[in-house]
Amino acid sequence: MREHEDTMRRGRRKFDDDESDFLKRGRLEPLLAEEPDLPETGDNWSTWDGALHGPEPRPDWVRTEHGAVDDELGMLKTGKEADVFLVRRHVPGTADVSMLAAKRYRDGDHRLFHRDAGYLEGRRVRRSREMRAMTNRTSFGKELIAGQWAAAEFGALGQLWEIGRVSGLVRVPYPVQLIGTEVMLEFIGDWETGEAAPRLAQVRADPDVLAGLWQQMTDALSVLARAQVAHGDLSPYNTLVHDGRLVLIDLPQIVDVVANPQGADFIARDVRNVAGWFTQRGLRVDADELLERLLYEAGLK
């Protein structure tokens, strides 16, 4: 695997002093050219110490050592709200390695907010000034929204990862850490080659395998419904297939279906999106029955 030649440096984000706590926590300090404290190998020291961490018990592969370093290996994905980079975190001189996907939400000058309003209903911040800034889409408000998307995804992944660890009914990447508007996740794919797992939309499966994937999808949707949340943007394009298992990704827009007045509509849209894909590939599914069950499990019926 060829390492990315250009070292990516992340600078301090300019937040107002009256910002939310999750934005203040663990800002990245600028890496100045004259800064002496850089590792002998690797692009930068691990940012683990300055971050909010994922749930315990942590997987054995999570690198928490003070001497760990990060190598940035290139971009995995670019999107409207965030870009995702592949990062190799390792302890020099050892075989202790983890492969991470670093998801970096764009700041207010570059992100697109055309879909924010519906998803953000039901989310509240403590200060009216912050709420006004978010509603009016000021620069400060857009930074707050970007931080909310990152924090929402990190929290949702932690909740679902813990449910999946116990039940085995849903799988998501383990959320390693959160700093500001950057979420670092377990890389789902081949750790040797850096090749990401295929999306469900890319999979060509026989009827038996397809039926098994549909069962996994309905199990995952049931887990979400019982937790009274909806993915909000579920589709074959943000679901991976790795070692025969579905892995849900891209959860920043996760919706509290009780607090959000459109909660039932978000569940229905998720069901329609995935049921339509399976139907187009010849699998007979009852989307209406599934939706009724999910609404009941979510307490909306």
Side-chain angles (χ1 to χ4, degrees):
M1 179 167 45
R2 184 173 63 87
E3 295 188 355
H4 194 268
E5 294 179 356
D6 296 325
T7 299
M8 307 294 291
R9 301 301 192 194
R10 288 164 283 173
R12 182 191 297 270
R13 295 198 182 272
K14 298 180 179 178
F15 294 120
D16 191 286
D17 287 341
D18 194 26
E19 70 202 54
S20 298
D21 289 344
F22 63 77
L23 288 177
K24 289 180 179 178
R25 184 180 183 122
R27 294 178 182 168
L28 293 174
E29 294 297 331
L31 297 174
L32 303 178
E34 65 272 20
E35 183 178 351
D37 187 24
L38 292 176
E40 294 182 4
T41 62
D43 293 341
N44 195 11
W45 293 111
S46 163
T47 54
W48 172 262
D49 284 348
L52 182 67
H53 302 146
E56 296 183 351
R58 301 184 188 107
D60 292 340
W61 53 262
V62 176
R63 301 269 59 84
T64 65
E65 295 88 348
H66 293 296
V69 298
D70 289 348
D71 289 316
E72 192 155 305
L73 305 180
M75 183 179 289
L76 288 170
K77 175 185 174 183
T78 185
K80 293 183 290 294
E81 289 87 17
D83 296 320
V84 184
F85 296 84
L86 181 61
V87 174
R88 178 177 180 262
R89 177 166 291 174
H90 62 104
V91 179
T94 75
D96 297 332
V97 174
S98 59
M99 295 291 280
L100 308 176
K103 188 170 186 177
R104 298 169 189 162
Y105 285 87
R106 296 199 182 98
D107 62 27
D109 292 331
H110 299 93
R111 292 187 64 248
L112 300 179
F113 293 95
H114 63 291
R115 299 183 305 161
D116 279 350
Y119 293 114
L120 292 174
E121 286 191 78
R123 295 187 193 176
R124 293 291 180 265
V125 295
R126 290 175 298 175
R127 302 179 179 92
S128 60
R129 174 176 176 271
E130 292 173 354
M131 198 66 211
R132 287 196 304 272
M134 290 166 61
T135 301
N136 295 330
R137 298 300 196 267
T138 65
S139 295
F140 172 54
K142 289 180 180 181
E143 287 288 358
L144 286 172
I145 292 172
Q148 275 211 352
W149 285 74
E153 178 159 38
F154 187 76
L157 288 170
Q159 179 186 13
L160 293 176
W161 185 84
E162 290 187 279
I163 294 173
R165 180 180 63 84
V166 174
S167 69
L169 295 177
V170 65
R171 186 180 174 192
V172 297
Y174 177 76
V176 175
Q177 66 179 57
L178 169 68
I179 295 183
T181 56
E182 179 188 76
V183 184
M184 296 191 83
L185 319 168
E186 171 189 3
F187 171 65
I188 304 297
D190 189 323
W191 282 24
E192 293 295 327
T193 66
E195 182 179 359
R199 299 174 184 179
L200 177 59
Q202 299 171 300
V203 172
R204 299 294 176 263
D206 61 43
D208 288 341
V209 173
L210 206 60
L213 292 173
W214 173 247
Q215 182 61 56
Q216 289 186 47
M217 182 66 76
T218 59
D219 287 343
L221 285 168
S222 286
V223 167
L224 292 171
R226 290 186 217 122
Q228 296 188 311
V229 296
H231 184 287
D233 195 30
L234 187 62
S235 80
Y237 294 94
N238 51 29
T239 306
L240 305 180
V241 181
H242 185 56
D243 294 336
R245 290 289 309 278
L246 288 184
V247 184
L248 305 187
I249 61 171
D250 293 341
L251 287 98
Q253 69 290 311
I254 193 163
V255 175
D256 182 327
V257 298
V258 175
N260 191 307
Q262 302 177 60
D265 294 335
F266 281 110
I267 294 177
R269 187 169 68 183
D270 284 351
V271 170
R272 286 196 303 269
N273 285 346
V274 294
W277 185 85
F278 280 93
T279 299
Q280 289 170 6
R281 276 142 189 83
L283 188 69
R284 297 185 64 181
V285 303
D286 191 339
D288 292 335
E289 186 277 333
L290 174 61
L291 177 58
E292 287 296 310
R293 175 163 62 85
L294 295 177
L295 293 177
Y296 175 79
E297 290 175 337
L300 299 178
K301 279 246 173 186

